[in-house]
Every structure is written in C-alpha cells, then in structure tokens.
C-alpha cells in the first residue's frame, strides 16, 4: 500500500511564508513526477507546481517567483516553499505522485489527503 502524507499547512498573514512537505511511504519501485495542486472553495483543482526525478520543474504563472518546488529523492519527499503569500492562495493543497509499483511494471497517480492553507489579509 502506498501512502502520501502531507504536512505544513496552516494560517498565515499575507506576505508570510509556509513550507509544505509530502512524503511517500509503502512498497514501490520508484517515484516519477511529483507535484502540488490546490483547490479553493467553489473552484476546480488546479496545478501549482510539478517536479520530475531530474528536478526539472513546472509551475503555474500565478505562483512563479513566489512558490518553489523541490524534492529529496532519498527521503521520497517533495516540498513546496511558499513565499509572499496572498489571500488568493487560500486553498486545500494536495500532493500528487506518479508512482511505479514494486514490480516496476506500471505506474499510477496517487494523491495525498490535502492540507489547508489559509492566508489572511
């Protein structure tokens, strides 16, 4: 069984910073692309940032220059450093990972349970 455990959400004032972490655990062969998505009330889930095993990154225009994604392949963990937070960043943030099964035969996307980030004005 594979599990993604997120941590680091909370309440912060506008202009502040938070760091989210997401660790993959369980039995698997490897981690492909990992990423962060978010969903605000009444809105669809949207991409925040992704990072592949070679640490190539992609991020939404709305967070460029403020949010930074990184990963520690030894710890099977992906991070999201969020700086200069704005009230519009308020959402539930979800970790995702494309995980290759323990046989190395195929991969599928897993999701974390989500962590709330609230930015007050």
């Amino acid at each position: 069984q594979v599990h993604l455990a997120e941590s680091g959400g909370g309440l912060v004032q506008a202009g502040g910073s938070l760091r989210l972490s997401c660790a993959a655990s369980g039995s698997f062969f490897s981690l492909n692309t990992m990423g962060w998505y978010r969903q605000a009330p009444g809105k669809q889930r949207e991409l925040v940032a992704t990072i592949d095993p070679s640490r190539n990154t992609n991020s939404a225009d709305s967070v460029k220059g403020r949010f930074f994604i990184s990963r520690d392949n030894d710890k099977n963990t992906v991070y999201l450093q969020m700086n200069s937070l704005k009230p519009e960043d308020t959402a539930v943030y979800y970790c995702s990972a494309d995980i290759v099964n323990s046989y190395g035969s195929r991969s599928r996307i897993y999701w974390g349970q989500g962590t709330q980030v609230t930015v007050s004005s």
Side-chain angles (χ1 to χ4, degrees):
Q1 215 43 359
V2 176
H3 181 62
L4 296 178
E6 298 144 333
S7 60
L11 173 64
V12 64
Q13 287 189 330
S17 298
L18 282 175
R19 188 192 194 210
L20 305 183
S21 300
C22 173
S25 62
S27 179
F28 54 87
F29 180 74
S30 64
L31 299 172
N32 292 332
T33 295
M34 304 181 77
W36 291 94
Y37 293 73
R38 67 185 181 186
Q39 187 167 19
K43 294 187 176 182
Q44 290 188 333
R45 190 173 297 189
E46 63 176 4
L47 168 74
V48 177
T50 61
I51 184 167
D52 71 14
S54 298
R55 296 185 174 82
N56 297 305
T57 63
N58 177 49
S59 60
D61 289 343
S62 59
V63 305
K64 275 186 169 66
R66 300 188 299 123
F67 290 12
F68 301 93
I69 190 169
S70 61
R71 66 190 284 167
D72 184 331
N73 291 331
D74 291 335
K75 294 182 179 180
N76 297 323
T77 300
V78 62
Y79 305 95
L80 185 68
Q81 178 66 43
M82 305 185 292
N83 301 326
S84 302
L85 282 159
K86 305 175 181 179
E88 50 264 44
D89 294 319
T90 295
V92 178
Y93 283 70
Y94 296 92
C95 169
S96 78
D98 182 23
I99 300 178
V100 180
N101 66 16
S102 56
Y103 302 103
S105 58
R106 61 185 177 190
S107 68
R108 55 157 283 196
I109 304 295
Y110 288 82
W111 293 91
Q113 79 284 358
T115 185
Q116 177 69 46
V117 171
T118 303
V119 185
S120 63
S121 56

